[in-house]
Amino acid sequence: MNLVLIAMILALLIPIYGAWQDDDIWQKMLAFASIATKTSVMILVVSVLRDDWMIGVVGVIILSVGNAGLMLLAQLIKRMNDS
Amino acid sequence: MCWHIVLAVEEMMNDSYVYFIVALLPLAAFMLTIQINPYNALVIRGILGAIAALVYAVLGAADVALTEALVGTMLAITLYAVAVRSSLVMRLGVLEDGLLKAETQAESGDPSAQLIADLRTIANKYHLRLELIPYADPKSLDQALLEKEIHVTCIARSHHDTHDRSLHKSEGRPYSITTRIRRLYDILQTDLSSPTTSLTYVTAPDSGEKH
């Protein structure tokens, strides 16, 4: 199962590289969404690996709340570009 | 109790993926430090927060991870986005019937629309947002500049017959831009290379207890 996690870390490097290279703010937001979701799924995988319900609950909360934060930030940036 | 923690730490250290995950944290932090645009930096801060939450959860601190995700990522980024949006702004006072009408029509051949577009380009270069604020007559425009409601005024010469401050040195320039901020004056003098505008710097009196 360690190999699965290491493969997920390598997949996490792809959006990090994307956020580094691209100067467009929406590309960066896209990379942020990708990373936020990937990290929460990784937390869930770790919680299943260790059979730790506490980490699992935290992973679920981060997975749902991260999307809410992303929506707030996207709304602010969109309004800034409109005005 | 103590042996339990020691066993947990040993088991955690045997997992080699922990090192890879922890190595992501300084990488994201370095990415955050090299950003120039404040909005891009906020998005990268979100990425850093997500990775930090992952690291804390993997190292066993579930409460710290939850706090990082809720406060560090969601609340802090939203508040900072509001703060940056309202502070990085160049407020340009214009006359209601003059430049603002040209801006709404947005004809590319019109010199006033061209001037506003140039100012917008310069403001975007310094990550500022250009905000046009209409005023009824040149007197209230000057008053608003001195009372620090706006940063820059821009008026066409034909509307500016009551209060000529710089006419003597700028004959034949139909637009007059006045600013009360030294840094904006320097920026505009360097970047606004239009032959139709004259640039003036005024010092606003410090009113003290306002703001």
Side-chain angles (χ1 to χ4, degrees):
Chain A
M1 286 304 273
N2 277 7
L3 283 180
V4 174
L5 262 170
I6 288 174
M8 290 179 86
I9 294 168
L10 290 181
L12 189 61
L13 284 175
I14 298 170
I16 289 179
Y17 178 73
W20 192 334
Q21 287 304 96
D22 213 313
D23 271 342
D24 185 22
I25 187 136
W26 293 111
Q27 292 286 335
K28 279 198 197 307
M29 287 294 286
L30 203 63
F32 175 32
S34 176
I35 289 170
T37 314
K38 275 200 184 75
T39 49
S40 355
V41 171
M42 282 169 77
I43 292 174
L44 287 174
V45 170
V46 169
S47 77
V48 170
L49 268 182
R50 295 183 184 168
D51 197 14
D52 189 345
W53 275 93
M54 187 174 70
I55 296 178
V57 169
V58 167
V60 168
I61 293 176
I62 290 176
L63 186 62
S64 54
V65 168
N67 283 327
L70 197 79
M71 285 295 156
L72 275 172
L73 186 59
Q75 192 66 242
L76 281 168
I77 291 174
K78 184 170 80 72
R79 286 207 192 169
M80 184 198 71
N81 284 349
D82 284 348
S83 67
Chain B
M1 191 61 199
C2 192
W3 59 267
H4 188 261
I5 294 174
V6 169
L7 274 184
V9 168
E10 273 184 359
E11 181 199 8
M12 195 176 66
M13 286 307 160
N14 285 335
D15 299 336
S16 55
Y17 61 84
V18 172
Y19 298 112
F20 290 101
I21 291 176
V22 173
L24 290 173
L25 195 58
L27 179 70
F30 175 70
M31 270 172 61
L32 176 59
T33 56
I34 59 173
Q35 296 299 315
I36 299 167
N37 190 330
Y39 296 102
N40 289 359
L42 279 178
V43 178
I44 303 288
R45 174 66 182 81
I47 292 175
L48 175 68
I51 291 176
L54 171 67
V55 170
Y56 298 151
V58 166
L59 291 180
D63 48 348
V64 184
L66 192 58
T67 310
E68 173 65 37
L70 289 177
V71 178
T73 304
M74 199 182 80
L75 189 65
I77 286 183
T78 309
L79 291 181
Y80 264 108
V82 172
V84 168
R85 182 177 179 272
S86 57
S87 62
L88 275 179
V89 59
M90 182 168 118
R91 294 160 73 87
L92 175 69
V94 292
L95 291 176
E96 265 168 357
D97 51 346
L99 285 167
L100 198 62
K101 207 180 285 175
E103 167 74 8
T104 50
Q105 286 166 357
E107 301 164 10
S108 57
D110 196 11
S112 19
Q114 184 64 39
L115 179 64
I116 297 286
D118 283 351
L119 284 173
R120 204 176 285 279
T121 310
I122 292 169
N124 282 341
K125 205 167 112 186
Y126 290 91
H127 313 297
L128 292 166
R129 200 162 47 87
L130 189 70
E131 194 174 307
L132 293 179
I133 298 163
Y135 284 92
D137 52 354
K139 195 160 284 180
S140 61
L141 198 65
D142 283 344
Q143 188 69 21
L145 183 69
L146 291 181
E147 284 177 354
K148 302 188 176 177
E149 285 175 17
I150 50 180
H151 301 128
V152 184
T153 64
C154 180
I155 43 182
R157 181 68 66 197
S158 55
H159 299 286
H160 195 216
D161 45 3
T162 55
H163 191 175
D164 272 345
R165 204 183 288 110
S166 56
L167 191 60
H168 57 279
K169 64 175 180 182
S170 58
E171 292 289 340
R173 293 183 171 185
Y175 295 105
S176 145
I177 295 179
T178 311
T179 180
R180 63 174 173 83
I181 295 171
R182 189 78 218 176
R183 177 74 182 130
L184 276 181
Y185 178 73
D186 292 341
I187 286 173
L188 289 176
Q189 201 168 35
T190 313
D191 293 345
L192 191 67
S193 58
S194 165
T196 59
T197 55
S198 67
L199 196 61
T200 321
Y201 172 67
V202 293
T203 45
D206 204 359
S207 56
E209 71 275 5
K210 283 191 82 174
H211 303 288

